[in-house]
Amino acid sequence: MTSRYVGRFAPSPTGELHFGSLVAAVASYADAKSRNGSWLLRIDDIDQPRSVGGSSDSIIATLKAFGFQWDGPIRWQSEREHHYQTAIANLRNQSLAYPCRCSRRQIEKTARRGVEGLVYPGTCREWNGAGAEQVAIRMLTKNVQITATDRITGDIAQNLEADIGDFIIFRADGITAYQLAVVVDDFLDNVTHVVRGADLVLSTPRQIYLQNRLNYPIPQYAHVPLVRDAEGAKVSKRDDAHPIDQGEPLSALQAAWQFLKQPPMPEPIENLERFWTHAAKTWRIEALRDTDTQCSAEKIA
Ligand code: GLU
């Protein structure tokens, strides 16, 4: 891959593509195409218990029907387990990751709340893991500030030790955790630009920390506003309240375009090719800068 811009869309196969994921896909695709970049499709299927049978096929079919064209083969997290294990071994060799046998209930008893969930109190930091079979692996955090720059939301600074705590990179149920997998994937795919939903904005400092410790380059990040339902909850694949209509790709794309604060397209946009040509020419991520990333959907397709 020689392109200087490599973007990606990385849906988890937990249900049909809904309007919220379409918004993220449109933003990352338009951003890549506006820069003449490559755009990859990765299916984040590492978490098999959460995967919904048939949803990868249906997501792929919907993306095709909407005119998205990815470069190269589709990437599958489930085929990369050995890469994740190599990265975890690397971190353990640097004494930056350690086994943890605490149950959720034990942690709840002593931990305080941080910026995203409980801050693990470090109970197992000194434990050597002897005799344990099914244990989680945690990343050792430090008392230093990590700042993620974001093309939409501005800087996000966290002291990982105080705000997040030593976080899981491998789960006790034997599954590699999202934070570790995504960092390894973006490295393997030479991703230079990550454009995704704002629900992951608080994860970014953890990912930058892992990239630093694994000696990986740091992509540029941009987090697009979340689509929320009338009650203010994030529209998610699991509540398939808002699946998008495959029969009406142009109107769903136009709705996503409007949600992303891009100026209306000149009429008529009669086919997908024209939509995407125009999108690549006119996309401006800056239009999202002044919007509240928590804003709600004015229109849900
Ligand atoms: N697989 C994640 C999701 O569907 C996105 C991962 C990412 O873009 O970093 O929410």
Side-chain angles (χ1 to χ4, degrees), residues 8-14 42 44 77 178 182 186 194-197 199-200 207 234 237:
R8 49 55 158 198
F9 178 54
S12 304
T14 51
R42 185 179 78 228
D44 279 1
Q77 281 190 329
Y178 159 72
V182 67
D186 287 339
V194 172
V195 179
R196 61 186 178 190
D199 52 330
L200 293 168
Q207 294 173 14
K234 179 198 166 196
K237 283 198 267 299

Side-chain angles (χ1 to χ4, degrees), residues 143-178:
N143 179 19
V144 287
Q145 175 141 306
I146 306 274
T147 303
T149 50
D150 190 291
R151 295 163 64 207
I152 297 171
T153 63
D155 286 359
I156 312 286
Q158 284 173 359
N159 177 317
L160 285 187
E161 189 175 43
D163 297 336
I164 299 285
D166 296 349
F167 56 92
I168 301 237
I169 54 174
F170 187 77
R171 296 175 1 194
D173 62 1
I175 294 176
T176 302
Y178 159 72

